[in-house]
Amino acid sequence: MWRAARIVAAGVVTSLFVFGFINLRNLEPAAWEHLVERLQFVPALLGSCRGVVGSVVVVVVLLTLTLLFGRVYCSFICPLGILQDVVIRLRRGFDKLHGRKRSGATLRFAQPLPWLRYTMLSIVILSFFLCGTALVAWLDPYSICARLMAGMTNPLAATAKNLAAGAVETPTSWGRYGWLLPAVVGVALVPLALAWWRGRIYCNTICPVGAFLALLSRAPLFRLGMNPSACVHCANCVRACKAQCIDLRNYRVDTTRCINCYDCVSACEHGLRPKFTFPFRRRHDPENKVGKNAQQAPPSASRRAFLGLLACSASALAASGCREQEIPPGKPGEPGDNQDSAVTPPGSRSVPRFLDTCTACGLCITACPTQVLQPSSWQYGLSGMLKPRLDFTVGFCNFDCNICGRVCPDGAIMPLDLAEKQRTQIALAEFHRERCIVQQHYTECGACTEHCPTKALSTEEGLFPSCNASLCLACNACVETCPQKAISLVGDEQHGMHAQIDRTKCIACGKCSRVCPSGAMTSQRLLIPVLKPELCIGCGACTYACPVRPERAMQVTGRHRHLLAEVVREKPAENPVSAEEFPF
Amino acid sequence: MKRRDFIKLGFGVGAAFSLDTLSGLFPAASAEEPAATAGGKPSLVAVRGGDRVAMLDAALAALGGINAFVKPGQSVVIKPNCGWDKTPEMSANTHPSLVGHMVKLCKDAGASEVVVFDHTCDNWQRSYRNSGIQEAVEKNGGKMLSAADESVYRDHESPSARNLKKAKVHTAILDSDVFINMPVLKHHSGARMTACMKNAMGLVWDRGFFHSHDLHQCIADAVLLRKPDLNVLDAFAPMLRNGPKGKDENDLIATHSLLAGTDIVAIDAAASKLLGNADGDVRHIDLAAEMGLGEKDLSKVAIRRITLA
């Protein structure tokens, strides 16, 4: 029954988990849809630190469950744990197929290695103190598994859908992880390969969540107990134990390593059952005859060292908050000195805050409808590997969308209501007029302005001059009047001099054509973009749409700390022609 | 006008057709119709004063009914402007009631299949959904096609074009029997106006080519990709500024009009005036006229003006 409950729970969690990483229709995510990601330990812990109420509740629930039952998280909720269970199951099938009757060759009791897991946990906590979630992102079991899903699930689902429909209905976009995909898969393969070799060894040596929960599950209230008088030493439980934590000689189950899969309970017909045990009286427990001789789980030295570190972690969080405060707030209309190359999603508030909190699980990358959220390679530096950034060569941030903040399980991207999101300046656009097609080719374009949702970019008419050399008197009038010094006289005395315009400098003011006495200088009315930076929210639509290559005329650089853009509401437009009759 | 009134009018129009005369049917219509319309069908019908669906019905009636364009068994592709993730009230996309009604008319006329697509600027699924067009199309038996993947486009050459001689065009446009162009009238920050001709940018895969190779010339050239068999322009609440995406409802004006016809240049020339543009302001209209793709001088166009009371 216990095992069946665990399998059912794992099945539900896995289904919801896989489902959460399929996003073929770009629907608005329902509130329940990403519940299972929010139940994960590391995201909930980080979310609690960022003041997300739901996350605090999850942490309290998970800790209570651990104190009551032990590491149920590891078998019931953790997706990587469940995936490892699948691998272990496959290994058992493989062994059977090859005539090895017992997988006991691989799974037997092993001495605990508490120094290893607490060292790992200490390193992770120290790393958090030093560089945020840089290391956590690579070791957190949820994030490892989630990235694997983010990289694989959606493209596979899209391919399946297209095959079923017999046409391309959904673009597959393997490109979200691209060449980073092997790294993502490789990291996930480590625990899975270890699981094939020695069961849940990752969970009890490397995994920081496993180590942390082990501390709390030294003596859960409701734990596995053996009945030595009933035991027949068949060792079925030992072979069933994926955590290799059943010490049959001493009739002991090491609850710090036990991942509560309850496989042993199903394997045992002789009294191995979970039961209520009062923690502080366990040495006098009549059933636990081993008493003092029992091997005490983690040696206290490593535990003490850890507890010291736990205190450090609190200050680490405080410190990460300070890092954000160190950035001076700028003004939305000014470039300021707080620009950064990589752009973080709206709701992440600042680059350091984001890098300190995000575990690169890739859920937002999957959920983003425009695919502007892409896993970074080196753009944030090493600590930001695989964390999402807005890549404006792939897409732009949809104005009427705030999905990334709504799906983020760990508070790295806070949920913003649409009105706030539509004002949040995550980056700032710059217009390089000299590169613009209008300036270069004297043809209208408007690709950037048509995409601008806030109308920080609009077009205004300019007078773009051209000189007809055959009419030019070389009188120098235009040269003298040009405020940009964009006009010079070229040619030689023999063939005649004429004015020449440097298009990279011209601002299309039209003065030259007005002063020209011969009509050689004429000007063309063309629309060219003008930027009001204080209205810009840095969605990147302009740079995405800009057709100029290789360097685009619209450039967008990220805000180190996000700002609030100004909003201007215009008066109602007036009908320029009769509302009663057709103007033609 | 109420729906009931419209139905009455519809019956009236139908009855009139059976009498094989159109004179005196539209009492409010302008009296100064060019002589050209007396004999044949108008190449431009301008309707105002009704709701969108009523105006579409009136326009089609004047153009000889949907049966003049869609024969039983033919496949139809409708290309609305559905490029933005905006709700119908924002007028950034063709109104779903119009697209849905057109799908229904085509189906009723015996079309074997009616497909609808746009190569959107915003995310295609959100644009299809939030514009209301997907629901309207599917409810009336049409099918929304994806235009978000290069694989659904095919190379197409138009030798007589000046700049856009070769483009990847959506296969539905190249393969369907009937092409109905159903844009919405808006201001455009680059092309100054977007109406029927500009709507063709949603037929091709590489829109950037247009922008970098003289936008106006490419828009005119795009008519040659495939000339629409029928154009219907939603000018009910055109966006006067901040187009083509728009900021809020304040950008819209109440024109309550609809233009339809076969001469794509004439419709755009008329539409341009609805936005208050002067002749020559919108260069792609002049270029298209110059290339002989239609008539921009409205005094030479057979226009039927209809005002629904």
Side-chain angles (χ1 to χ4, degrees):
Chain A
M1 183 199 71
W2 292 95
R3 181 168 176 263
R6 190 261 303 171
I7 291 172
V8 169
V12 171
V13 165
T14 309
S15 319
L16 287 174
F17 193 67
V18 174
F19 180 73
F21 281 91
I22 296 179
N23 177 32
L24 296 182
R25 300 181 60 203
N26 277 319
L27 295 169
E28 298 282 330
W32 56 268
E33 217 172 301
H34 297 288
L35 198 66
V36 68
E37 285 86 356
R38 289 178 191 282
L39 285 179
Q40 303 300 328
F41 187 77
V42 167
L45 195 63
L46 291 164
S48 309
C49 301
R50 293 302 178 195
V52 182
V53 180
S55 299
V56 178
V57 175
V58 170
V59 168
V60 170
V61 168
L62 288 178
L63 294 184
T64 313
L65 276 176
T66 310
L67 289 169
L68 286 176
F69 298 98
R71 291 166 56 179
V72 279
Y73 170 79
C74 302
S75 276
F76 285 67
I77 303 171
C78 174
L80 190 67
I82 296 168
L83 204 56
Q84 290 180 76
D85 284 351
V86 172
V87 170
I88 295 164
R89 189 63 175 268
L90 290 175
R91 173 72 200 259
R92 289 200 166 125
F94 177 84
D95 284 346
K96 213 171 179 179
L97 208 66
H98 288 258
R100 291 177 217 163
K101 280 182 188 164
R102 291 171 176 181
S103 55
T106 57
L107 293 182
R108 56 177 181 255
F109 175 72
Q111 291 296 328
L113 299 168
W115 59 270
L116 178 55
R117 65 175 185 237
Y118 292 127
T119 306
M120 287 304 296
L121 183 57
S122 307
I123 291 171
V124 167
I125 290 173
L126 274 176
S127 78
F128 187 74
F129 181 74
L130 294 170
C131 50
T133 51
L135 188 60
V136 182
W138 293 96
L139 294 175
D140 166 39
Y142 158 72
S143 302
I144 291 175
C145 196
R147 264 196 308 273
L148 187 66
M149 293 290 148
M152 309 288 290
T153 318
N154 211 39
L156 286 175
T159 309
K161 188 185 172 202
N162 290 339
L163 285 174
V168 177
E169 286 189 343
T170 312
T172 46
S173 69
W174 283 93
R176 290 202 198 187
Y177 278 83
W179 61 270
L180 293 164
L181 194 62
V184 167
V185 176
V187 168
L189 279 179
V190 171
L192 299 183
L194 287 172
W196 180 271
W197 178 55
R198 283 287 186 276
R200 293 287 207 107
I201 193 169
Y202 178 83
C203 313
N204 283 323
T205 51
I206 302 172
C207 179
V209 180
F212 182 78
L213 295 180
L215 281 166
L216 298 174
S217 55
R218 277 164 60 90
L221 275 182
F222 197 73
R223 61 175 181 261
L224 289 168
M226 272 189 246
N227 186 350
S229 55
C231 180
V232 295
H233 289 255
C234 65
N236 279 348
C237 57
V238 176
R239 280 190 294 275
C241 181
K242 290 180 284 204
Q244 300 176 286
C245 69
I246 300 179
D247 180 4
L248 202 55
R249 269 183 216 147
N250 296 312
Y251 301 111
R252 251 194 75 91
V253 178
D254 179 359
T255 50
T256 63
R257 281 187 292 155
C258 171
I259 41 112
N260 293 53
C261 68
Y262 299 114
D263 280 2
C264 54
V265 180
S266 294
C268 178
E269 291 164 3
H270 307 282
L272 176 64
R273 294 286 175 269
K275 52 199 155 192
F276 179 81
T277 320
F278 191 66
F280 305 111
R281 234 188 281 160
R282 66 181 185 281
R283 286 180 192 179
H284 311 292
D285 188 343
E287 284 182 11
N288 195 351
K289 288 180 182 170
V290 279
K292 283 186 224 165
N293 300 331
Q295 191 180 351
Q296 289 300 319
S300 53
S302 52
R303 190 156 174 259
R304 243 171 248 156
F306 167 75
L307 288 172
L309 271 164
L310 208 58
C312 294
S313 67
S315 40
L317 286 166
S320 67
C322 294
R323 278 174 66 183
E324 188 183 3
Q325 295 307 314
E326 278 166 17
I327 312 163
K331 284 185 183 160
E334 292 166 11
D337 56 357
N338 61 2
Q339 289 194 322
D340 205 62
S341 55
V343 183
T344 57
S348 58
R349 296 195 181 149
S350 74
V351 176
R353 184 193 176 281
F354 178 67
L355 294 184
D356 284 351
T357 320
C358 173
T359 62
C361 73
L363 190 58
C364 58
I365 293 173
T366 308
C368 176
T370 62
Q371 301 189 21
V372 66
L373 284 184
Q374 293 281 328
S376 62
S377 39
W378 67 90
Q379 289 86 356
Y380 289 121
L382 202 60
S383 70
M385 278 284 274
L386 296 177
K387 293 177 185 178
R389 68 180 181 107
L390 281 85
D391 183 348
F392 297 134
T393 61
V394 179
F396 56 92
C397 184
N398 189 319
F399 189 59
D400 295 286
C401 166
N402 56 1
I403 290 175
C404 52
R406 279 152 61 194
V407 302
C408 178
D410 49 26
I413 314 172
M414 295 298 276
L416 299 181
D417 63 46
L418 209 51
E420 190 186 351
K421 186 264 168 175
Q422 290 174 341
R423 285 191 63 189
T424 302
Q425 188 181 70
I426 56 172
L428 188 65
E430 271 167 51
F431 177 44
H432 295 265
R433 189 180 170 120
E434 71 285 357
R435 295 181 200 151
C436 178
I437 277 185
V438 182
Q439 189 89 14
Q440 291 281 322
H441 303 323
Y442 283 13
T443 60
E444 286 175 340
C445 172
C448 54
T449 50
E450 72 172 328
H451 278 77
C452 179
T454 62
K455 292 300 147 204
L457 264 178
S458 54
T459 45
E460 64 174 18
E461 242 172 15
L463 293 164
F464 291 81
S466 319
C467 178
N468 182 342
S470 59
L471 296 177
C472 181
L473 307 173
C475 68
N476 226 28
C478 55
V479 177
E480 279 163 20
T481 196
C482 179
Q484 290 297 102
K485 305 207 184 323
I487 308 176
S488 53
L489 291 181
V490 292
D492 52 59
E493 297 293 340
Q494 206 176 353
H495 300 95
M497 304 280 281
H498 65 89
Q500 193 183 51
I501 303 138
D502 181 352
R503 287 189 181 181
T504 59
K505 290 184 188 163
C506 174
I507 53 163
C509 64
K511 283 184 180 159
C512 49
S513 54
R514 276 197 292 277
V515 299
C516 180
S518 67
M521 192 69 88
T522 51
S523 58
Q524 216 178 324
R525 286 190 304 141
L526 293 170
L527 294 171
I528 187 156
V530 270
L531 175 67
K532 297 186 194 84
E534 67 278 8
L535 303 182
C536 175
I537 56 167
C539 69
C542 52
T543 186
Y544 171 75
C546 180
V548 183
R549 297 290 182 278
E551 291 291 306
R552 302 184 187 205
M554 293 303 310
Q555 293 286 328
V556 175
T557 40
R559 282 288 189 199
H560 213 56
R561 181 171 177 172
H562 295 179
L563 299 169
L564 269 189
E566 289 170 22
V567 176
V568 176
R569 193 165 166 89
E570 293 170 75
K571 283 187 195 139
E574 279 176 31
N575 196 337
V577 291
S578 160
E580 302 301 319
E581 281 173 32
F582 287 115
F584 48 84
Chain B
M1 188 173 93
K2 295 214 173 81
R3 182 164 299 175
R4 195 175 300 157
D5 299 291
F6 163 69
I7 292 168
K8 282 183 203 158
L9 178 80
F11 278 118
V13 171
F17 272 108
S18 65
L19 295 173
D20 205 18
T21 171
L22 286 166
S23 56
L25 246 183
F26 304 104
S30 168
E32 32 163 358
E33 301 297 334
T37 44
K41 288 174 200 158
S43 53
L44 167 59
V45 180
V47 195
R48 71 184 312 143
D51 69 45
R52 289 183 172 94
V53 171
M55 291 196 292
L56 175 57
D57 281 323
L60 279 175
L63 288 165
I66 187 71
N67 297 316
F69 302 98
V70 180
K71 303 278 179 278
Q74 285 187 317
S75 57
V76 179
V77 57
I78 300 174
K79 162 66 176 73
N81 187 332
C82 173
W84 304 99
D85 178 10
K86 290 280 175 193
T87 51
E89 311 81 69
M90 300 297 292
S91 276
N93 304 308
T94 311
H95 200 270
S97 63
L98 273 180
V99 185
H101 189 61
M102 183 58 96
V103 172
K104 185 175 182 299
L105 290 174
C106 293
K107 284 300 242 187
D108 291 350
S112 60
E113 114 179 296
V114 183
V115 295
V116 181
F117 78 92
D118 190 4
H119 186 194
T120 59
C121 295
D122 281 334
N123 170 263
W124 62 288
Q125 288 157 314
R126 289 179 66 99
S127 302
Y128 281 13
R129 201 165 51 235
N130 295 340
S131 65
I133 290 178
Q134 175 158 18
E135 192 194 347
V137 167
E138 285 169 358
K139 206 170 68 190
N140 289 291
K143 192 180 173 212
M144 291 301 285
L145 291 184
S146 162
D149 195 87
E150 197 173 350
S151 66
V152 297
Y153 294 80
R154 203 162 70 215
D155 277 328
H156 179 77
E157 293 187 18
S158 25
S160 50
R162 290 174 180 171
N163 285 0
L164 190 72
K165 289 186 179 295
K166 196 175 156 190
K168 274 181 177 278
V169 181
H170 198 287
T171 47
I173 291 294
L174 300 175
D175 298 338
S176 297
D177 298 321
V178 182
F179 168 26
I180 299 176
N181 191 24
M182 281 195 96
V184 62
L185 176 60
K186 293 182 286 183
H187 162 254
H188 193 284
S189 58
R192 290 168 191 257
M193 175 188 89
T194 161
C196 294
M197 284 193 266
K198 174 78 174 62
N199 198 32
M201 280 185 80
L203 307 180
V204 298
W205 175 245
D206 184 11
R207 271 195 301 262
F209 184 92
F210 282 62
H211 286 285
S212 48
H213 292 81
D214 189 351
L215 181 65
H216 287 288
Q217 184 58 59
C218 287
I219 292 171
D221 286 345
V223 178
L224 295 165
L225 297 174
R226 175 164 179 186
K227 206 167 178 179
D229 299 295
L230 171 65
N231 301 281
V232 175
L233 179 65
D234 177 7
F236 190 84
M239 193 183 284
L240 189 72
R241 62 178 185 221
N242 294 334
K245 189 166 182 165
K247 234 167 81 178
D248 50 47
E249 295 88 339
N250 281 355
D251 296 334
L252 313 183
I253 53 171
T255 305
H256 297 249
S257 304
L258 180 138
L259 305 180
T262 47
D263 187 336
I264 194 167
V265 182
I267 298 189
D268 277 11
S272 166
K273 301 218 182 261
L274 283 177
L275 293 183
N277 290 322
D279 285 335
D281 275 357
V282 183
R283 198 170 131 248
H284 60 257
I285 296 177
D286 298 337
L287 289 169
E290 199 180 293
M291 290 165 73
L293 301 172
E295 182 55 64
K296 68 166 178 172
D297 183 354
L298 294 175
S299 64
K300 293 181 189 159
V301 177
I303 306 177
R304 178 164 294 282
R305 297 170 181 83
I306 302 170
T307 302
L308 301 175

